[in-house]
Amino acid sequence: MARINKDQLKQLVEAAIFVADSPLDDTALMEGVLANWTVSKKQLADCLKELELDYRPRGVQLVKVASGYRFQSNPALSPFLARLWQEQLPRYSRAMLETLALIAYRQPITRGEIEQVRGVSVSSHIVKTLTERGWIKVVGHKEVPGRPSLYGTTKGFLDYFSLRSLAELPSMDAFAQLANSTNSVETAEGLPPQNVKVH
Amino acid sequence: MARINKDQLKQLVEAAIFVADSPLDDTALMEGVLANWTVSKKQLADCLKELELDYRPRGVQLVKVASGYRFQSNPALSPFLARLWQEQLPRYSRAMLETLALIAYRQPITRGEIEQVRGVSVSSHIVKTLTERGWIKVVGHKEVPGRPSLYGTTKGFLDYFSLRSLAELPSMDAFAQLANSTNSVETAEGLPPQNVKVH
Amino acid sequence: MADDSEHKELEIQQPLPFAFIHGEAVLEKPEDLYIPPDALEVILEAFEGPLDLLLYLIRKQKFDILNLPVAQITRQYMEYVELMKDLNLELAGEYLVMAAILAEIKSRLLLPKRSEGDDEEDDPRAELIRRLREYELVKHSAEELDQLPREERDVFVAAARVDESCQPIKVQPDVALQELVLAFQAAMQRASAFEHHHITPEVLSTRERMSQILDLLQGDKFMPFGAFFSAEEGRAGVVVTFLAMLELVKESMLDLVQADAFGDIHIRARTV
């Protein structure tokens, strides 16, 4: 078996770990890419230690996990790397928009009261989504049996719609006008009615 | 927008290229992981140059291919790295390579035109395989009876062969000369179809 | 010497055994027209078509492609084709088409020239020569393409895993104010309660204040009445807060407590 110098060994181990589909352990390295070379366990351990040190200040680092060695990104970079997997969430359903509208216009309001107006139950998913978006929050509890949560809109909601206060929400008078221009609004926004999906 | 220091920039760009699912170009970097930072084109170019130099003596190297930057193994190591995969290397027949070469050099080109040059019919299997590998795609239709598909190569094709652009293909000049000296396409089309349509 | 250099050229183009006959590697294409009958099928398959076979014959005989001796090439080509026919090999139509083209060129060359001059356009070989040169270039390019460093064979893409603390960014859908208003209108109309819900800007600001007051009154602690009013909001603000409190009391969500006459009023969210 041929000898391999330290630099070559490091290059080969480094490249192997980078291109392998899954982590490589000592045995996989020894019996795989290093099979043709005379390499002691000590040499391999030293090589891996050096690689670990080489990469410590870099954007990716050599780590040992249960099934072997692999390179992974520096955890401090995660918030920025997240942008590589940006995902566009689907448009809100009609049920979602109506729930939000009722909370905005009729707050503080319980889920039961929203269900009364809409005539259908409001799924937990809707309340959760709107809460996670930071648009609604529980502002209290109604003193009726079960002490249901009372929902109201947040400052984040006002900010999103560029409103200084809820008083700036279009009033009923404006509805008539909006209703008349409904078609044009929908067309302008590229929103044919069937796009507003009912879950 | 916040400032980012040189070392942080390098770490972020390095990690992004390593973890991204496909090569990243300047735009993808600027509008992706670097979107929240004030980074000039010059700074990014310098950063990429430094990374390229950092990795030159290592087992993996920063290279630019058609769709952007990626890290890939040092070609000298491939005989050893190939041991990481059990499967046989994909082999490409002469018919497939000649078809691919014609599409690369003479795009956009129809299947009929490929058949005229090669003097034999092109099997659907070849076109299907090249399409499935993501190397060729239909780029339009020729305005002649039957509106045959016009094929061209993709960035994926260039990436696979570590090329930045079609201009880097070997023999590109020879093809250009031949096309100039003989108006080959027109003459080839002047051939009676029965010359090549015998199956 | 000539043989040697040719040998070399063939080896460069075909580093692998040309064919296997009875288990023995044939390292080059046949020396002349003699082909062992059982090798013919293998050899035929090694050619990519009639142009490839013609190129082979031309190179083999060291002919200048630009001064193609059509008569000789045609004879050789036809002998191959005849052999294929004799052996009942399934002969691709392309080979017969090429045979017809060669025969036509040969017959036209035998006819007396209509005029003097060496006009290439009149040379019946011109088109064939052009096709041969073009095909030769394609063949050469395909070989070069095969030699380029490529993924899976010469280079392997290096990748690192993203740290698990990295969560993909989810881009929230946009909502237009109009959508919200229309959704409210739709909900109210469906409830057939449209006329009972006169929503005015004043009421809306009262409702907003109701939420704000409840939000401040977390738990069952009392807060002084005065804490809900600020001078900056002016008279209108005071009125809105007061209306909101009255509304909350009316809806039994609020307790107002005054310990002594003219004492401070305290407020808390009502508990059961």
Side-chain angles (χ1 to χ4, degrees), chain B residues 18-19 70-73 78 89 94-95 98 106 116-121 133 159-160 170-171 175 184 187 198, chain C residues 46 48-49 51-52 93-94 97 127 131 134-135 139 141 144 149-156 158-160:
Chain B
F18 265 125
V19 304
R70 74 174 177 209
F71 285 100
Q72 64 187 36
S73 63
S78 9
L89 274 178
R94 270 186 64 192
E98 285 181 10
R106 291 268 303 269
Q116 274 166 345
V117 175
R118 294 194 62 236
V120 288
S121 63
R133 292 237 54 177
D159 290 350
Y160 190 83
S171 302
F175 264 94
S184 57
T187 324
V198 181
Chain C
E48 279 299 310
L51 288 168
D52 197 22
E94 292 98 346
V97 171
E127 172 58 17
R131 288 186 65 188
E134 189 173 43
Y135 177 68
K139 186 180 165 179
S141 311
E144 284 187 320
R150 64 179 188 228
E151 284 177 38
E152 298 177 293
R153 186 186 70 187
D154 310 298
V155 299
F156 302 95

Side-chain angles (χ1 to χ4, degrees), chain B residues 109-113 138-151 197:
Chain B
I109 189 171
T110 66
R111 191 158 145 180
E113 287 162 355
V138 173
V139 293
H141 293 273
K142 188 152 186 160
E143 290 307 326
V144 294
R147 299 189 74 245
S149 298
L150 284 163
Y151 293 95
K197 286 289 176 192

Side-chain angles (χ1 to χ4, degrees), chain C residues 177-227:
Chain C
L177 190 56
Q178 281 96 329
E179 288 179 80
L180 199 63
V181 176
L182 288 166
F184 182 63
Q185 186 192 31
M188 297 311 264
Q189 276 177 339
R190 252 203 340 276
S192 309
F194 194 68
E195 62 275 25
H196 304 304
H197 294 266
H198 286 287
I199 311 295
T200 61
E202 286 74 27
V203 173
L204 264 177
S205 51
T206 308
R207 293 217 153 255
E208 179 178 34
R209 191 56 55 95
M210 285 163 73
S211 286
Q212 287 165 354
I213 292 169
L214 283 175
D215 200 28
L216 283 170
L217 292 169
Q218 293 301 333
D220 58 355
K221 72 175 195 293
F222 279 100
M223 284 183 72
F225 186 70

